[in-house]
Amino acid sequence: MTDLKRYPDAAGLVSAVAEAFVARLAEVQAEGRVPSVALTGGTIADEIYRAVAALDSSAVDWTQVDFWWGDERYVAADSSDRNDRGVGRDLLDVVGVDALRVHAMPAADESHADVHAAAAAYGEAVRSTGGGAFDLVLLGLGPDGHVASLFPGHPQLDRDDEVALGVTDSPKPPPERITLTFPALNRTRAVWFLVSGEGKADAVARALADEGSVHETPARGITATDRTWWLDEPAASKL
């Protein structure tokens, strides 16, 4: 099922996703489970995290939520380029999560031999700790149609034998990344695409077209049963 939610502007999109995010976590906890969420980086995601932190989220026990990442820049742990630093500052540190439930991807200044070894270690952590499936995967969308660090034409698009892979030639700096694979991202109860701005309109249209190539538009490789596209009108303008 693909659900399209359209909002007049980015502010409306941010507010709606923030409220839905809190509600989804509360629903999962009401079922007696610990929610498992894969987070994304990006401008609109950062705004959403700040909006979540500003809400009354007392219905959620933030110490009982597992946080993962769909991708990460393979740089030093204290680099401002890392997605986890912004999420930590804007949301996780504010609401008081349990640090043991924050599963950051490895950093370049840790003890792994290279980005590929670091990705393998993260994949093993997902297997051993993740419980088999995420409850929610958040994804941005690049103007080229990429999701996580799965870029057009790259060999990672065809890999279905690993949970996480290293990337050494990202077209966006920095060149080294860790990314979850399509099988890992699709092993979830729901995927939310968070997309804002006219610069993403072509990619949105290609991702949602009846026909198209995953190698041209990697977002088409997200095939989880429950997919929601949260769009502002500029991003939806070519649908």
Side-chain angles (χ1 to χ4, degrees), residues 6-61:
R6 299 169 65 154
Y7 299 88
D9 53 28
L13 166 65
V14 166
S15 178
V17 175
E19 292 180 3
F21 184 76
V22 170
R24 176 61 62 93
L25 297 185
E27 288 170 4
V28 174
Q29 290 183 341
E31 295 170 4
R33 296 188 295 109
V34 174
S36 183
V37 181
L39 300 173
T40 186
T43 302
I44 197 68
D46 290 344
E47 292 183 24
I48 290 167
Y49 300 141
R50 288 191 286 270
V52 171
L55 290 174
D56 175 3
S57 59
S58 56
V60 176
D61 179 355

Side-chain angles (χ1 to χ4, degrees), residues 12 16 27 36 42 52-53 56 63-64 68 74 78 88 124 133 141 154 168 180 182 195 201-202 210 227-228 231:
E27 288 170 4
S36 183
V52 171
D56 175 3
T63 68
Q64 296 296 307
W68 303 83
Y74 192 61
D78 63 354
E124 182 55 36
L141 179 73
H154 279 210
T168 59
L180 296 187
F182 284 134
V195 194
D202 281 336
D210 290 338
R227 302 185 300 279
T228 301
L231 308 169

Side-chain angles (χ1 to χ4, degrees), residues 4-238:
L4 301 183
K5 296 184 181 294
R6 299 169 65 154
Y7 299 88
D9 53 28
L13 166 65
V14 166
S15 178
V17 175
E19 292 180 3
F21 184 76
V22 170
R24 176 61 62 93
L25 297 185
E27 288 170 4
V28 174
Q29 290 183 341
E31 295 170 4
R33 296 188 295 109
V34 174
S36 183
V37 181
L39 300 173
T40 186
T43 302
I44 197 68
D46 290 344
E47 292 183 24
I48 290 167
Y49 300 141
R50 288 191 286 270
V52 171
L55 290 174
D56 175 3
S57 59
S58 56
V60 176
D61 179 355
W62 290 99
T63 68
Q64 296 296 307
V65 183
D66 277 312
F67 292 99
W68 303 83
W69 270 262
D71 74 323
E72 184 60 272
R73 287 100 176 229
Y74 192 61
V75 293
D78 63 354
S79 171
S80 60
D81 283 339
R82 285 183 63 90
N83 293 325
D84 61 9
R85 284 181 59 81
V87 180
R89 179 190 63 244
D90 294 335
L91 175 60
L92 306 184
D93 293 345
V94 178
V95 298
V97 303
D98 181 347
L100 295 177
R101 292 193 177 276
V102 178
H103 308 281
M105 286 186 164
D109 54 352
E110 295 176 354
S111 59
H112 303 286
D114 57 23
V115 67
H116 303 296
Y122 198 71
E124 182 55 36
V126 173
R127 286 192 191 95
S128 62
T129 313
F134 299 110
D135 289 289
L136 178 62
V137 169
L138 303 181
L139 292 173
L141 179 73
D144 61 356
H146 83 266
V147 289
S149 285
L150 297 166
F151 295 102
H154 279 210
Q156 290 84 3
L157 300 175
D158 298 318
R159 292 285 299 275
D160 60 5
D161 56 340
E162 297 290 348
V163 172
L165 292 170
V167 176
T168 59
D169 56 351
S170 165
K172 296 176 58 180
E176 291 195 324
R177 312 278 185 104
I178 298 172
T179 185
L180 296 187
T181 58
F182 284 134
L185 293 169
N186 285 323
R187 196 172 297 119
T188 181
R189 292 175 175 84
V191 173
W192 291 0
F193 292 90
L194 317 173
V195 194
S196 173
E198 188 176 2
K200 309 290 182 71
D202 281 336
V204 169
R206 295 198 313 272
L208 291 169
D210 290 338
E211 296 182 355
S213 164
V214 170
H215 270 266
E216 293 178 355
T217 310
R220 296 181 65 87
I222 300 300
T223 57
T225 301
D226 185 350
R227 302 185 300 279
T228 301
W229 287 78
W230 302 81
L231 308 169
D232 62 12
E233 281 303 326
S237 61
K238 296 191 177 180

